[in-house]
Amino acid sequence: MAATMPRHTISGPSGNGLFTNGTPTRSWTVSTAKPVTYEVRFENGLLDPANPALAEAGNAAGTTGSRRLLVVEEQVQRLYGDRIAAYFAARGLDTETCVLPAHEQLKTMESAFRVVESMDGFGIARRHEPVVAIGGGVLMDIVGLAASLYRRSTPYVRVPTTLIGLVDAGVGAKTGVNYGRHKNRLGTYHPSSVALLDPMFLATLDQRHISNGLAEILKIALVKDRTLFELLAAHSKALLSSRLQPDDDPSDRRVAEDVLCRAVHGMLEELQPNLWEHQLQRLVDYGHSFSPVIEMEALPELLHGEAVCVDMAFTTVLARRRGLVDDDEAQRVLAVMDDLGLPVWHPACTPAAMERALADTVRHRDGQQRLPLPVGIGQACFVNDLTAPEVRGALEELRERDLALRSAL
Ligand SMILES: NC(=O)c1ccc[n+]([C@@H]2O[C@H](COP(=O)([O-])OP(=O)(O)OC[C@H]3O[C@@H](n4cnc5c(N)ncnc54)[C@H](O)[C@@H]3O)[C@@H](O)[C@H]2O)c1
């Protein structure tokens, strides 16, 4: 929209009138802007009946609704279903629960349609009965897509139960499902009205999924928050073994809280000015240039964060070979990835796959690579001139490191 235009306009070729020189206006330009506000909040004790946060979340001001449609991921339902039901009963809300199995291979339109069916069956009252999505990133992306399609937009609340959910999938605007072999190929921008983040859910998450989420935290650390990197480097083992839920030691608790808050803050700082991704040069794309192809090629072997980490290891080596990161820094970064239980290499990373991934990324980024590369630790730049020989050289170096590590075991 031109800077001088009012925010909402309808105008013909020569102004806003119905007639121009006695003839009716026959073409119009419609221009408007939609303000978007949503809340992301850490909220401990979300399932404590004394805590009204979840019951009140997403209700349009001044309205009350006494029903909720809950969409709960299957494993979460098994672990927390009784507590969830008890919570809503204690808060006086009638609920229906759609239990959805959700993993990467079920991240499909069929799953989104299952949610739509539940919404239809429930007879959602859009203004005061937000859908409540409780689960990991896959479930939230599916429910978000269904909610954005249903009656062209229905409010929903996100309650992420995985680490990726807490620091990434739960806090942005994007929704989506996979299509064919393409990750998140169908999707929308439809943030939840409220995202309530309760790290308590991490207590039951297996360690591999904690590592998986730490990869997205490491991403923020590597491109914009050196302090966060130092926290991860110094406390990797404790963060992993406590699942960011240390019981006793107040200083461990403080570290876990710092890590989570810095990760969410850093993520939102990057997302907010560019929520609809009109700007294609995005720091948060770090780790996401090659990983979509790596993840889909390696499916179901690599989790999302693991594929992101392989991409980050690869681009760290690329950056070192360009002199953007020095030897010690590169070794440190790779060592922290090892300590966080993350892979730095996968056989799916063939030169052909990586070149295909880059071509796909270039298409997605409007004809340019716009490839984020680390500069030291905690900063990044964008490049447009990565070459195929560079890709092959960095791949070979990483593969040799992986072989050497394996033979030392
Ligand atoms: N929309 C976005 O902006 C965005 C951002 C990042 C990632 N994502 C998407 O998120 C997805 C990855 O999310 P994810 O890592 O949460 O995977 P996921 O949703 O598949 O969940 C991982 C596993 O954890 C289990 N689980 C969930 N909560 C649990 C709990 N509290 N205790 C025990 N087990 C639990 C689930 O059953 C599942 O098997 C990817 O599809 C990715 O594309 C989206």
Side-chain angles (χ1 to χ4, degrees):
M1 189 167 49
T4 50
M5 267 195 175
R7 281 164 70 80
H8 310 277
T9 58
I10 153 172
S11 62
S14 44
N16 293 329
L18 177 56
F19 292 96
T20 311
N21 299 330
T23 45
T25 299
R26 287 164 56 84
S27 76
W28 297 263
T29 299
V30 177
S31 171
T32 189
K34 180 182 168 191
V36 171
T37 305
Y38 67 95
E39 190 186 0
V40 176
R41 186 165 98 230
F42 276 97
E43 185 70 51
N44 292 335
L46 207 54
L47 299 182
D48 176 351
N51 183 348
L54 182 53
E56 290 173 359
N59 248 336
T63 62
T64 51
S66 59
R67 306 185 318 148
R68 289 293 180 278
L69 175 66
L70 314 178
V71 187
V72 185
E73 197 269 338
E74 193 170 48
Q75 174 71 355
V76 173
Q77 174 69 8
R78 220 169 281 136
L79 292 164
Y80 298 94
D82 291 348
R83 285 178 64 191
I84 293 170
Y87 173 82
F88 283 100
R91 300 298 315 181
L93 291 167
D94 291 334
T95 56
E96 249 176 52
T97 305
C98 164
V99 178
L100 203 68
H103 53 72
E104 207 55 47
Q105 283 141 307
L106 288 178
K107 196 175 171 185
T108 58
M109 270 325 275
E110 285 67 36
S111 296
F113 288 143
R114 274 201 56 194
V115 178
V116 168
E117 248 171 62
S118 308
M119 290 165 83
D120 223 28
F122 187 75
I124 289 276
R126 285 179 68 251
R127 292 184 61 81
H128 50 257
E129 292 175 352
V131 176
V132 180
I134 310 179
V138 170
L139 178 116
M140 285 185 299
D141 276 1
I142 294 170
V143 177
L145 179 60
S148 80
L149 295 176
Y150 192 72
R151 304 192 66 183
R152 299 190 185 84
S153 161
T154 296
Y156 70 112
V157 172
R158 283 177 176 144
V159 179
T161 61
T162 60
L163 188 50
I164 287 228
L166 285 176
V167 300
D168 196 347
V171 305
K174 288 201 276 196
T175 78
V177 296
N178 302 330
Y179 178 72
R181 288 186 68 73
H182 298 291
K183 199 166 156 56
N184 296 330
R185 193 44 62 95
L186 301 174
T188 58
Y189 295 94
H190 185 51
S192 57
S193 324
V194 185
L196 295 173
L197 316 181
D198 186 352
M200 166 279 290
F201 287 106
L202 301 179
T204 49
L205 200 62
D206 64 43
Q207 258 193 22
R208 185 172 172 206
H209 282 96
I210 297 288
S211 295
N212 189 41
L214 284 166
E216 294 283 4
I217 298 179
L218 181 62
K219 170 185 82 176
I220 294 293
L222 291 176
V223 292
K224 63 174 288 165
D225 189 345
R226 171 110 200 196
T227 306
L228 181 55
F229 178 81
E230 296 302 343
L231 282 172
L232 293 175
H235 302 280
S236 53
K237 297 276 184 267
L239 288 166
L240 258 183
S241 61
S242 70
R243 294 173 167 71
L244 290 91
Q245 288 290 284
D247 290 331
D248 335 310
D249 187 343
S251 86
D252 286 352
R253 265 208 305 276
R254 184 60 209 263
V255 168
E257 195 179 22
D258 271 8
V259 164
L260 286 170
C261 291
R262 293 189 88 95
V264 172
H265 188 80
M267 190 72 79
L268 289 177
E269 250 179 6
E270 291 305 310
L271 295 181
Q272 182 276 333
N274 190 24
L275 207 57
W276 316 127
E277 300 184 7
H278 293 311
Q279 165 63 256
L280 296 172
Q281 206 155 283
R282 299 180 346 123
L283 271 187
V284 281
D285 276 342
Y286 185 54
H288 293 71
S289 304
F290 301 91
S291 64
V293 165
I294 302 172
E295 183 177 351
M296 295 309 267
E297 285 286 316
L299 212 61
E301 232 174 89
L302 282 184
L303 300 175
H304 177 73
E306 292 172 338
V308 168
C309 192
V310 170
D311 180 319
M312 296 193 297
F314 171 64
T315 43
T316 297
V317 173
L318 276 176
R320 192 198 48 71
R321 292 166 73 96
R322 282 188 170 215
L324 296 169
V325 171
D326 71 29
D327 278 352
D328 290 348
E329 288 166 334
Q331 288 316 319
R332 256 196 104 195
V333 168
L334 295 176
V336 169
M337 290 170 172
D338 293 338
D339 289 347
L340 293 175
L342 288 162
V344 300
W345 165 258
H346 188 275
C349 301
T350 59
M354 299 303 257
E355 281 160 32
R356 189 156 47 79
L358 186 59
D360 214 28
T361 288
V362 166
R363 252 194 314 279
H364 193 63
R365 296 183 190 155
D366 199 26
Q368 290 189 45
Q369 294 179 347
R370 304 178 211 267
L371 182 72
L373 284 183
V375 177
I377 295 175
Q379 291 183 59
C381 66
F382 292 88
V383 305
N384 281 309
D385 58 355
L386 184 68
T387 63
E390 266 185 293
V391 167
R392 283 195 292 274
L395 273 185
E396 193 50 33
E397 186 175 327
L398 256 191
R399 196 178 66 89
E400 276 167 15
R401 179 186 185 274
D402 186 62
L403 284 176
L405 277 182
R406 277 169 203 278
S407 62
L409 286 177

